[in-house]
Amino acid sequence: MSVRRGQTKSYFASADDTKICVVMVGLPARGKSLIAGKAMRYLAWVGIPARVFNVGTYRRSNTPQPSATFFDPHNSEGEKMRKAAAEAAMSDMLQWFSSGKGVVAILDATNSTKSRRSWIYESCHAANVETLFVESICDEEDLIMNNILEVKTTSPDYKGQDPEAAALDFRNRIRNYEKVYETIDDNEKHYTYVKLINVGSTVIINQIKDYLSSRLVYYIQNLHIKPRSIWLSRHGESEYNLTGKIGGDSNISPRGEAYARALPGLLKKSGVPPNTKIVIWTSTLRRTIQTARHLAAETGYEKLEWKALDELDSGVCDGLTYEQIAEKYPEDFAARDEDKYNYRYRGGESYRDVVIRLEPIIMELERSENVIIVTHQAVLRCIYAYFLNTPQEQSPWMEVPLHTLIKLTPRAYGTDEQRFKADIPAVSTWRAKGTSAKHQDYPTEIKA
């Protein structure tokens, strides 16, 4: 029997060679860089070559830490340098497209005037690149303050500076932009655009023409910029883990039960802000439901079961050990080592298949605030890869140990990660690429 490999790089159906420049629009502290970073990660996760071109990064090569006066519209020298940075970003972006490397570029800047947007539109149009303007509008003071706090603590513009002085300077920078800011209006109706007003509470969409743009808009309209964290955990050690079997629907082991009891304390230890509402997500398989039950009982958090969070389907290999698979299906075992992301088990799934079925989960996760997900090794790898922008060829080989809680906190310039390990032993289910399939036997007693 032949081994199924060589699947296509993308599951976006596209009848043409559409190239899109996503143009961020909005005042500072409106979540533009956060949205840009998320969109790029999402596209890479589903196999679309994407890249962010941040105009601020180009500007920093000459003015690494400018004061607010640099952004004053009456500062002709500052205006000249800012325009040069935008032109350099645009030039690199168009070169990236023409080299055949890219499908979606994200131009991350304020792009806050009609003249700037017209220049971007005309430049892209001349290069046969579609434009999609994404304007983030926010007048909720709490959200703006949160974003100011985020920028002054994570932006390279304020690295090493006094936080209070940084916040004051950044507010002055915003005031300078407010002097010239022009929202997208009826005079720009020929543009394809989406407006997100107050974190997506209102969304205005105009002139969406192609499939890829519609997928991007659907993703973007699910985003919010409120501060939150996502916690990820595998189920507690299972009976199948102890014997090296994959798949199945086994119960958790005594040590897995100990982890289930320890999970509420581990979550508390990870740092949960007061009055934070967290929703618990599990798969429909027993080992995740059993692992989450004490957490739900002790906290009173809502708990949801998702079929899409079930473990990767190992088809005819379900219930076998890796050693048995290597003996029974040697070609399959070797093929999976060669291209683990695309290899599909006979009658089962590949990692690429799991990503496709997880897309609605990611959409719901982006709409949600604080969530703890108790799931399985392959599924957790795929979700983790989305947040940390892990390359597809690396994600199936990541080590994700049992009895460990991972806390992810999305930021404007990346995702913070913390790991909290419970003091409860468990088998290791990780196997490095090209290593032996032999399973090691482990004692099942709980160490004192």
Side-chain angles (χ1 to χ4, degrees):
M1 178 179 169
S2 64
V3 178
R4 292 190 66 175
R5 285 181 287 165
Q7 294 170 320
T8 55
K9 287 287 180 188
S10 164
Y11 66 90
F12 275 111
S14 181
D16 51 26
D17 295 322
T18 304
K19 293 176 181 176
I20 299 173
C21 173
V22 177
V23 186
M24 302 307 300
V25 177
L27 291 166
R30 266 60 178 183
K32 296 185 304 300
S33 292
L34 183 69
I35 293 167
K38 281 176 179 285
M40 185 204 70
R41 289 201 323 266
Y42 165 71
L43 290 163
W45 190 68
V46 297
I48 303 290
R51 183 175 160 188
V52 173
F53 292 83
N54 182 287
V55 173
T57 302
Y58 287 83
R59 184 258 302 155
R60 283 182 203 103
S61 63
N62 292 318
T63 49
Q65 291 190 312
S67 68
T69 54
F70 178 82
F71 300 93
D72 190 320
H74 303 297
N75 181 343
S76 57
E77 186 61 28
E79 169 62 25
K80 185 177 166 187
M81 293 175 77
R82 296 201 307 277
K83 184 71 161 69
E87 287 170 348
M90 176 66 79
S91 174
D92 283 357
M93 182 190 78
L94 294 178
Q95 192 175 352
W96 181 69
F97 275 129
S98 66
S99 70
K101 294 177 184 174
V103 175
V104 179
I106 302 167
L107 192 61
D108 184 16
T110 55
N111 299 314
S112 53
T113 63
K114 290 179 181 179
S115 61
R116 174 62 59 87
R117 293 193 291 271
S118 176
W119 169 70
I120 293 168
Y121 176 81
E122 294 300 336
S123 301
C124 288
H125 186 69
N128 200 28
V129 174
E130 301 288 336
T131 50
L132 168 61
F133 293 88
V134 178
E135 183 174 15
S136 182
I137 300 169
C138 185
D139 57 16
E140 289 185 8
E141 193 60 28
D142 287 351
L143 280 172
I144 295 169
M145 280 306 299
N146 268 323
N147 288 333
I148 289 173
L149 176 67
E150 174 80 11
V151 168
K152 78 178 183 185
T153 55
T154 62
S155 170
D157 282 354
Y158 295 107
K159 191 174 181 181
Q161 294 190 23
D162 173 68
E164 293 309 311
L168 181 63
D169 183 84
F170 193 57
R171 275 197 167 281
N172 287 332
R173 182 190 299 193
I174 293 169
R175 289 191 188 101
N176 280 326
Y177 273 106
E178 285 173 338
K179 293 172 187 174
V180 294
Y181 176 55
E182 298 170 299
T183 187
I184 296 174
D185 62 17
D186 286 351
N187 293 325
E188 296 169 293
K189 279 247 172 175
H190 56 294
Y191 295 159
T192 297
Y193 67 77
V194 56
K195 286 191 182 205
L196 306 170
I197 302 170
N198 287 329
V199 204
S201 59
T202 303
V203 180
I204 299 169
I205 298 169
N206 185 67
Q207 293 271 23
I208 303 299
K209 295 167 187 168
D210 60 79
Y211 178 74
L212 186 48
S213 291
S214 70
R215 296 299 303 145
L216 259 172
V217 168
Y218 178 65
Y219 171 76
I220 289 167
Q221 73 184 38
N222 280 287
L223 298 179
H224 68 76
I225 54 176
K226 293 177 183 175
R228 54 84 173 257
S229 292
I230 306 292
W231 289 263
L232 305 174
S233 174
R234 289 178 66 186
H235 54 79
E237 180 186 72
S238 73
E239 291 168 352
Y240 263 28
N241 291 150
L242 289 171
T243 54
K245 294 178 180 178
I246 65 171
D249 191 15
S250 64
N251 294 311
I252 54 177
S253 71
R255 295 192 300 196
E257 173 63 23
Y259 177 68
R261 292 182 183 277
L263 190 53
L266 206 59
L267 178 63
K268 189 176 179 182
K269 180 184 173 184
S270 75
V272 178
N275 304 316
T276 298
K277 181 189 172 190
I278 299 177
V279 181
I280 305 164
W281 292 4
T282 73
S283 74
T284 64
L285 300 174
R286 280 183 292 202
R287 52 195 185 275
T288 66
I289 295 167
Q290 289 168 358
T291 302
R293 72 181 187 277
H294 296 295
L295 180 63
E298 289 187 30
T299 61
Y301 294 150
E302 181 185 6
K303 188 165 80 70
L304 302 174
E305 295 174 15
W306 295 84
K307 181 72 176 166
L309 289 174
D310 285 0
E311 181 59 302
L312 183 151
D313 183 350
S314 48
V316 296
C317 297
D318 191 75
L320 301 180
T321 66
Y322 284 124
E323 197 172 9
Q324 289 168 335
I325 296 168
E327 289 171 5
K328 197 170 182 180
Y329 306 108
E331 286 184 18
D332 294 67
F333 190 81
R336 191 163 194 260
D337 257 21
E338 185 185 320
D339 186 4
K340 194 174 178 182
Y341 187 82
N342 288 303
Y343 169 81
R344 178 181 291 142
Y345 279 108
R346 302 184 190 197
E349 290 181 302
S350 66
Y351 270 82
R352 185 178 292 281
D353 294 330
V354 172
V355 164
I356 292 170
R357 79 158 139 99
L358 280 175
E359 191 182 358
I361 289 285
I362 292 298
M363 295 291 179
E364 190 59 33
L365 207 46
E366 288 295 2
R367 288 164 55 89
S368 305
E369 293 185 29
N370 299 282
V371 177
I372 177 168
I373 303 175
V374 181
T375 184
H376 307 267
Q377 180 168 250
V379 173
L380 197 149
R381 281 171 172 158
C382 293
I383 296 172
Y384 179 96
Y386 166 77
F387 281 102
L388 275 295
N389 199 27
T390 309
Q392 289 178 346
E393 64 274 11
Q394 292 178 20
S395 60
W397 297 104
M398 288 190 301
E399 186 171 8
V400 185
L402 289 164
H403 300 177
T404 302
L405 182 64
I406 302 171
K407 182 183 182 183
L408 302 178
T409 305
R411 305 282 190 197
Y413 296 93
T415 301
D416 290 347
E417 176 189 356
Q418 295 171 281
R419 294 197 177 200
F420 302 88
K421 190 160 179 60
D423 191 20
I424 299 161
V427 300
S428 172
T429 60
W430 181 69
R431 188 183 68 82
K433 185 175 183 177
T435 58
S436 164
K438 189 168 174 58
H439 175 68
Q440 302 297 314
D441 292 323
Y442 294 86
T444 57
E445 74 275 2
I446 301 169
K447 292 181 182 176

